[in-house]
Amino acid sequence: MVDLLIRNANLPDGREGMDIAVTNGLITAVEHDIPTEAGSVVEADRCLVTPPFVDPHFHMDATLSLGLPRMNVSGTLLEGISLWGELRPMLSREAVVERALKYCDLAVSQGLLAIRSHVDVSDPKLVTVEALLEVREKVAPYIDLQLVAFPQDGYYRCPEAADALTRALDMGVDVVGGIPHFERTMEEGRKSVEALCRIAAERGLRVDMHCDESDDPMSRHIETLTAETVRHGLQGRVAGSHLTSMHSMDNYYVSKLIPLMAEAQMHAIPNPLINIMLQGRHDTYPKRRGMTRVRELMEAGINVAFGHDCVMDPWYSMGSGDMLEVAHMAVHVGQMASMEDRRKLFDAVTVNSARVMGLEGYGLEPGCNADMVILQARDPLEALRLKATRLAVIRRGKLIARTLPRVASLNIAGRPDMVDPASYAPGAGDE
């Protein structure tokens, strides 16, 4: 007797028609035709069952604040930062908590059950830190929320940021963040990377820096971050987020940089939706799109994970908490449309992102946490194409969200009376 049995599931690795047995919140078996009774049975009907989506780069303290105190008219990164600076003194803990919890509701409905959120520590009152620590505790039963101490206004550029970052870490924030390209000079940016990596090493913490979020090919703080990772023995625990300057760097320099990143076991976190929206704003034509060199990083063995970054905030007026939308955009802007490419991009919003966060018990093998999503699609390629409906979201073996299948009714003489987008997959009608 098991608590939950999911029957006839397709898995991301290509296995089809599998049963998944769950007991006490853990997966106990993944086999064909498991002969057991179950407290609850869910029929997957050859739909894709995947581990939950993971967002390794988000700003939950700013989410859903669109229009406060005003709109970003230019649509630029710098105006967004300026707007956030205007809003920050007006924030209350209660308002930040309310917006964050509302976003977490949306995330769950999208099968997004793990999020790494940067939290601004530039204001010494640390209202955002207090708020997101409260949110982390409240959502723990259904979302793994990891927090990054992020000095939005610069570790050195903001006079109070260094002390505030230390206090945030003392309060229980999980990861050390930074933004070296926003310091006053390249030299202060370099020094900030050195100082922040030293803090992380001393405390045994991970590092996740907004790094070279710029069109400037000479913004090369990722090189310093790579060197400091090796210097402090932080291999596998450091992520460079955005890395948009790599889009503009010359190929010779990049041919040196990427092997150094691989040697340091860096994680790279592009944010396709926001990167292509904010970068290239000073270009006419040809116009750069700004997303970093995803294909080349992956080919070098670097773990590439995609973040959503923003939803309805001063930097991005759109967004829906849908990590498939993030990967879907990456397919297009990265021109990564082959079958192999799309499988890798699906991994970038699931297993690769889980690796960035160091999630334990993630996956669909016996012994893993029974966290999974049933999608209205046959395989990862179709899930990306359709941005597939989340039919069911399961956390520790309990169904926590359900969505009706996306099916349209037709009233056309001589044509079918129903259209199921998932039935258009190649070979779907052969069974």
Side-chain angles (χ1 to χ4, degrees):
M1 182 76 177
V2 298
D3 297 334
L4 172 67
L5 186 63
I6 299 173
R7 289 204 179 276
N8 208 18
N10 289 355
L11 304 184
D13 62 9
R15 286 178 288 174
E16 296 186 347
M18 305 297 292
D19 291 353
I20 304 172
V22 174
T23 300
N24 295 328
L26 298 175
I27 296 173
T28 54
V30 181
E31 303 170 10
H32 286 288
D33 302 318
I34 297 176
T36 184
E37 297 293 324
S40 179
V41 176
V42 175
E43 176 57 54
D45 194 24
R46 292 296 179 103
C47 286
L48 177 66
V49 176
T50 178
F53 295 106
V54 178
D55 182 356
H57 187 105
F58 194 65
H59 291 267
M60 195 173 289
D61 50 1
T63 195
L64 305 183
S65 64
L66 182 65
L68 300 175
R70 55 186 173 81
M71 297 295 291
N72 185 336
V73 177
S74 69
T76 62
L77 171 65
L78 292 181
E79 185 175 352
I81 292 174
S82 178
L83 266 173
W84 175 245
E86 293 176 31
L87 175 60
R88 190 170 50 211
M90 298 184 283
L91 293 174
S92 70
R93 173 172 174 167
E94 293 75 20
V96 174
V97 168
E98 181 181 0
R99 285 195 293 265
L101 289 175
K102 188 174 182 180
Y103 179 76
C104 287
D105 296 340
L106 178 63
V108 167
S109 74
Q110 298 282 28
L112 173 54
L113 301 186
I115 301 171
R116 173 182 281 184
S117 176
H118 295 256
V119 52
D120 189 3
V121 298
S122 298
D123 186 340
K125 295 194 297 291
L126 294 180
V127 171
T128 53
V129 174
E130 292 177 350
L132 288 194
L133 286 171
E134 179 181 340
V135 171
R136 186 178 68 181
E137 182 178 352
K138 287 185 173 181
V139 303
Y142 51 94
I143 289 179
D144 293 306
L145 178 58
Q146 196 173 83
L147 301 179
V148 184
F150 176 49
Q152 171 76 76
D153 293 345
Y155 185 70
Y156 288 123
R157 186 172 180 172
C158 175
E160 298 164 309
D163 176 68
L165 183 138
T166 297
R167 288 190 289 118
L169 296 175
D170 290 343
M171 292 165 68
V173 172
D174 309 283
V175 182
V176 178
I179 186 167
H181 55 277
F182 196 64
E183 301 291 352
R184 285 190 176 87
T185 66
M186 295 288 265
E187 178 64 13
E188 286 194 343
R190 180 188 65 79
K191 289 181 178 178
S192 76
V193 173
E194 293 174 350
L196 291 163
C197 285
R198 182 168 58 250
I199 290 170
E202 290 170 351
R203 289 176 175 258
L205 299 177
R206 296 176 182 268
V207 176
D208 189 338
M209 288 199 190
H210 287 59
C211 205
D212 303 323
E213 189 181 1
S214 167
D215 294 325
D216 179 5
M218 300 308 293
S219 183
R220 298 178 173 183
H221 296 294
I222 182 59
E223 184 179 67
T224 304
L225 182 58
T226 299
E228 293 304 301
T229 296
V230 174
R231 183 192 308 277
H232 292 287
L234 294 168
Q235 290 92 332
R237 293 194 285 153
V238 176
S241 290
H242 293 292
L243 304 176
T244 59
S245 66
M246 288 182 70
H247 184 97
S248 301
M249 291 174 181
D250 67 84
N251 291 334
Y252 179 80
Y253 176 70
V254 171
S255 73
K256 169 201 172 186
L257 176 61
I258 289 181
L260 291 176
M261 294 174 64
E263 177 188 358
Q265 301 171 38
M266 297 283 296
H267 303 284
I269 309 178
N271 299 281
L273 297 173
I274 281 66
N275 291 158
I276 67 170
M277 179 66 78
L278 296 181
Q279 302 310 130
R281 288 284 177 160
H282 295 282
D283 295 353
T284 53
Y285 292 94
K287 193 174 185 69
R288 291 169 291 179
R289 298 314 307 271
M291 194 168 80
T292 195
R293 302 184 184 216
V294 173
R295 184 189 301 279
E296 291 85 350
L297 290 166
M298 286 182 167
E299 288 175 349
I302 293 167
N303 185 51
V304 178
F306 292 148
H308 201 308
D309 197 6
C310 306
V311 170
M312 298 177 67
D313 66 13
W315 295 273
Y316 189 62
S317 61
M318 301 176 69
S320 61
D322 184 354
M323 296 308 295
L324 284 175
E325 181 181 17
V326 174
H328 187 271
M329 182 61 74
V331 171
H332 293 82
V333 73
Q335 298 178 327
M336 297 181 68
S338 74
M339 294 177 68
E340 180 182 1
D341 285 341
R342 285 178 286 155
R343 288 191 182 96
K344 289 179 179 179
L345 297 187
F346 187 86
D347 287 346
V349 293
T350 52
V351 293
N352 295 4
S353 294
R355 193 174 302 127
V356 169
M357 290 183 62
L359 297 180
E360 297 181 358
Y362 181 92
L364 290 180
E365 298 299 331
C368 292
N369 294 323
D371 302 340
M372 61 198 87
V373 183
I374 303 177
L375 297 168
Q376 189 182 351
R378 293 162 52 88
D379 57 43
L381 306 188
E382 284 297 291
L384 273 177
R385 182 180 72 84
L386 297 167
K387 290 176 280 186
T389 298
R390 284 68 166 166
L391 301 175
V393 180
I394 295 166
R395 170 77 169 183
R396 301 299 194 265
K398 294 182 179 180
L399 183 65
I400 61 171
R402 185 185 290 275
T403 305
L404 294 175
R406 178 188 168 197
V407 177
S409 297
L410 291 186
N411 186 20
I412 302 174
R415 301 309 300 158
D417 59 4
M418 183 185 74
V419 173
D420 176 359
S423 70
Y424 283 69
D430 297 340
E431 296 178 357

